[in-house]
Amino acid sequence: MPGGQPDLADDVEAAGLSLDRPSVSVLLTLNMADGPLRVGEIAQRVQTAGPHATRLVKERERRRLVHRVTDPHDRRASLIELTHPGASAVTTYVRTLFGWFAEAVTDWDERDRRRFGRLLARFVDDLTARLAAADAEEPRREG
């Protein structure tokens, strides 16, 4: 932990979970999705190659954190979704992170916390807009 900064693995351990970074990435990705995802979609969202994503999913399946369901639009394909234990792991992880954030600002006065909240919301909005613009430009670059 360089410079005393917690990393993702430390967060996972603090949450009482025995998950590695790839596991957390896959579980968070599925948790934030609107529904089950194809392995290729998971690969894209966690920014890894398809074969690696397949191995990640298979290991999470073996641990019963995710499972496959039939794609209702293509019965030959399967989708990946969280199981109850997988969803519980994500919830525990996120609660641990929120606890860290709350502890980090516990000594701040109310004015500073409100200002930080406004700036953080602005940052998220601006970042989201830039990412959406970059995604919209991507097909034009490929063509």
Side-chain angles (χ1 to χ4, degrees), residues 7-29 46 52-53 55-63 65-66 89-90 93:
D7 73 6
L8 193 57
D10 294 327
D11 297 341
V12 172
E13 282 185 37
L17 306 171
S18 60
L19 300 174
D20 55 8
R21 287 181 189 176
S23 291
V24 172
S25 296
V26 169
L27 298 180
L28 285 171
T29 297
V46 299
H52 184 63
R55 286 190 299 275
L56 289 173
V57 167
K58 284 184 179 183
E59 176 59 22
R60 284 4 95 197
E61 278 183 294
R62 189 186 68 71
R63 296 183 63 194
L65 299 170
V66 301
V90 170
Y93 175 76

